[in-house]
Amino acid sequence: KIIDEVSFRDSWYNSSSKRNGGWSLKRISPEWKCNINLNWSTTLSLSGGTLGRSNTIWNKDFAPNLQIQHYHIQQNKVEIRFQIGAAFLDIASPNSFSLDEGIGDATDVNVSNGSVIFTFAKVLDPQKLYTLQFKELKLCNLAIAPFESKLFDQKEIQRGDIVINEILFNPREGGVDFVEIYNNTDYSINLQNFKLGNRTITSDFYLLESQQHLAITTNPDVLVQHYPQSHRQNILQRAALPPYANQQGIVTLYSDRDILIDSVYYNSNMHSAHLVQPKGVFLERSTPQKPLFHSASTLVGGATPGYQNSTNDLGLQQNNIHLTCKKVSPNGDGYEDELEINYELMQPNYIIAVEICNEKGQLMRKLAHQNLAGNHGTLTWDGRNENGQPCVKGHYICFTRIFNHNGKTEQFKQPFVLIYSLTRH
């Protein structure tokens, strides 16, 4: 009679160097009735084995973590494939498995073609996030601790559903590289096992909501420090990004099925000719539909991590400069304390200069001086002059001048009134 047998593969080593030879494979726990890869691993002994002695990885209490490799939701059924064959699982009863969102326990469970199929009394919403709870499950006669898993019916992702939206390949001193992606669809997408180049973005369940921006970097704290307007909730940290050279390179995005979703070739010449120092300035996409990239506005610090680009193409027929209100009262009461100057431009390559002058034409404050504007933005004035002193009440003019490298120049004059300041007259 056969007392024991094991059919092994070199992939069980979990070590590319040790699988080349000279190292033994060891059983972790003797309590399992079946010999599968989860119960075997490479030796920890420096000599390569422990002949006649206790295993270095021996653990009678060892219990593995079941991992879902694939699942599919259809009508009232959920089909799940684990990292091991379903034949090794011992399923007690259907009510050992339940879904939240008012679905409840499974009414039936069966194994087919290596997958476990759960049937529920209610039809599932394909665009809703569910949590499946496993309460009683055995693997090779060993009880598995209760656990849960997120389920989301991922649509088949096509090229262009997610686009590469911003790239920082030449960071400031002490800065970090960064890639921002954008969900260009009207539904949520699970980024689990998606890749930038050959680097997995996340191995965990992570929903990228419709129309959401997501910045991916190795150090979010540094990114927020360099760009204080960053939306921290839309920044994802990962251990490493592919290397992005300072002069030129390519950024690629792959789905969990290794389908190329988007790719962008970049080079330093794509930056605006007016940009004096490109370090720390991002390349931004004009629209999700067109892979046209421009330097981000320096008025927003040269980047917009986690939120709308400064160079979005607004489809305008003319350039617009307007004040939110024609009066300002910087008295600290929370109402019209700052003058807001809004601009919307036809192209992202304009240079902008904004000055505040009194009614005699005397310069009070420079708000922007030869800055890259992007397509849109807002500048504010707090009622103080260049020396930080409050200006007197009276009539003022906001002078705005824009020009691009093609020689197109426009000037705008908007009068307004300072009706109350921190000084008394």
Side-chain angles (χ1 to χ4, degrees):
K1 293 183 179 181
I2 295 177
I3 304 301
D4 195 14
E5 67 176 333
V6 56
S7 178
F8 62 90
R9 296 176 180 271
D10 62 359
S11 60
W12 291 17
Y13 274 99
N14 299 317
S15 170
S16 58
S17 60
K18 291 182 178 180
R19 76 173 59 176
N20 291 330
W23 303 86
S24 64
L25 277 174
K26 293 184 177 292
R27 185 196 300 263
I28 300 174
S29 171
E31 302 298 319
W32 290 32
K33 288 183 178 179
C34 50
N35 270 322
I36 57 177
N37 62 321
L38 294 182
N39 197 31
W40 288 78
S41 188
T42 184
T43 181
L44 299 179
S45 171
L46 295 179
S47 64
T50 54
L51 283 74
R53 292 178 286 119
S54 176
N55 287 355
T56 53
I57 59 174
W58 187 267
N59 182 2
K60 295 183 66 173
D61 299 323
F62 172 71
N65 292 321
L66 277 180
Q67 296 178 357
I68 296 176
Q69 286 190 329
H70 174 74
Y71 62 84
H72 177 62
I73 299 174
Q74 186 173 17
Q75 298 295 322
N76 64 331
K77 297 181 184 295
V78 178
E79 179 182 348
I80 291 180
R81 186 180 295 274
F82 294 96
Q83 85 268 40
I84 64 167
F88 296 112
L89 299 175
D90 182 10
I91 300 170
S93 63
N95 58 17
S96 298
F97 313 93
S98 64
L99 279 174
D100 60 352
E101 301 293 335
I103 301 300
D105 294 341
T107 59
D108 184 48
V109 180
N110 64 79
V111 176
S112 176
N113 297 323
S115 298
V116 182
I117 301 175
F118 303 90
T119 303
F120 296 91
K122 298 180 180 179
V123 175
L124 307 184
D125 182 349
Q127 276 299 291
K128 181 173 285 188
L129 174 62
Y130 293 99
T131 300
L132 178 59
Q133 294 183 332
F134 299 81
K135 291 173 285 188
E136 293 181 19
L137 190 62
K138 287 186 176 181
L139 172 63
C140 295
N141 80 295
L142 290 179
I144 302 298
F147 68 100
E148 60 184 33
S149 179
K150 302 292 185 184
L151 299 181
F152 178 77
D153 191 18
Q154 181 84 294
K155 292 188 176 182
E156 185 174 351
I157 308 304
Q158 306 290 336
R159 185 176 180 91
D161 286 350
I162 301 177
V163 297
I164 297 165
N165 196 53
E166 281 191 64
I167 308 167
L168 176 62
F169 52 89
N170 189 4
R172 300 175 185 174
E173 194 70 29
V176 289
D177 285 351
F178 149 91
V179 174
E180 182 186 84
I181 59 177
Y182 173 73
N183 184 349
N184 194 35
T185 71
D186 57 0
Y187 50 84
S188 302
I189 297 176
N190 179 16
L191 292 180
Q192 188 173 23
N193 296 325
F194 275 57
K195 293 179 181 179
L196 279 174
N198 61 353
R199 308 294 175 89
T200 300
I201 294 175
T202 176
S203 56
D204 300 322
F205 184 92
Y206 191 99
L207 272 187
L208 182 67
E209 303 292 346
S210 172
Q211 319 301 317
Q212 180 187 348
H213 299 79
L214 181 67
I216 304 168
T217 186
T218 57
N219 196 325
D221 293 335
V222 170
L223 199 64
V224 173
Q225 178 185 355
H226 286 183
Y227 308 98
Q229 298 184 52
S230 302
H231 290 198
R232 183 62 177 82
Q233 70 275 16
N234 290 336
I235 300 177
L236 179 64
Q237 182 176 11
R238 60 152 294 116
L241 291 177
Y244 297 126
N246 289 348
Q247 294 301 316
Q248 63 180 1
I250 187 169
V251 183
T252 55
L253 175 66
Y254 291 90
S255 74
D256 55 341
R257 300 182 182 181
D258 287 330
I259 298 173
L260 182 63
I261 302 301
D262 194 19
S263 63
V264 174
Y265 166 79
Y266 69 84
N267 66 70
S268 57
N269 293 330
M270 294 167 67
H271 276 301
S272 170
H274 296 293
L275 193 61
V276 177
Q277 177 53 267
K279 270 188 175 294
V281 178
F282 291 41
L283 285 176
E284 290 185 331
R285 194 182 194 113
S286 295
T287 68
Q289 292 74 32
K290 298 179 181 179
L292 298 176
F293 283 78
H294 303 276
S295 301
S297 168
T298 56
L299 291 174
V300 296
T304 56
Y307 64 103
Q308 185 183 34
N309 291 356
S310 65
T311 58
N312 276 356
D313 188 352
L314 304 177
L316 301 176
Q317 300 300 315
Q318 63 179 17
N319 297 313
N320 299 319
I321 310 288
H322 67 276
L323 307 181
T324 301
C325 185
K326 293 293 183 73
K327 62 181 184 298
V328 58
S329 56
N331 55 7
D333 64 355
Y335 178 69
E336 295 180 350
D337 285 330
E338 293 183 325
L339 179 73
E340 293 184 351
I341 305 103
N342 306 287
Y343 63 88
E344 297 175 334
L345 308 178
M346 294 185 292
Q347 298 175 349
N349 59 352
Y350 278 99
I351 299 297
I352 189 170
V354 180
E355 298 177 347
I356 303 296
C357 299
N358 62 17
E359 58 185 345
K360 297 179 180 179
Q362 297 170 322
L363 176 65
M364 295 289 104
R365 183 82 171 270
K366 286 184 178 181
L367 300 181
H369 180 66
Q370 311 298 328
N371 290 101
L372 277 175
N375 282 93
H376 59 91
T378 299
L379 296 168
T380 60
W381 181 55
D382 59 4
R384 297 178 181 271
N385 60 24
E386 290 288 329
N387 298 321
Q389 300 299 316
C391 293
V392 300
K393 61 183 180 181
H395 294 273
Y396 289 81
I397 298 175
C398 174
F399 288 99
T400 303
R401 179 173 176 263
I402 60 173
F403 63 92
N404 61 20
H405 58 266
N406 295 324
K408 180 177 175 61
T409 302
E410 289 186 66
Q411 294 186 357
F412 303 83
K413 295 181 181 180
Q414 275 101 10
F416 65 95
V417 179
L418 178 66
I419 61 174
Y420 188 84
S421 68
L422 294 175
T423 57
R424 295 186 178 181
H425 305 278

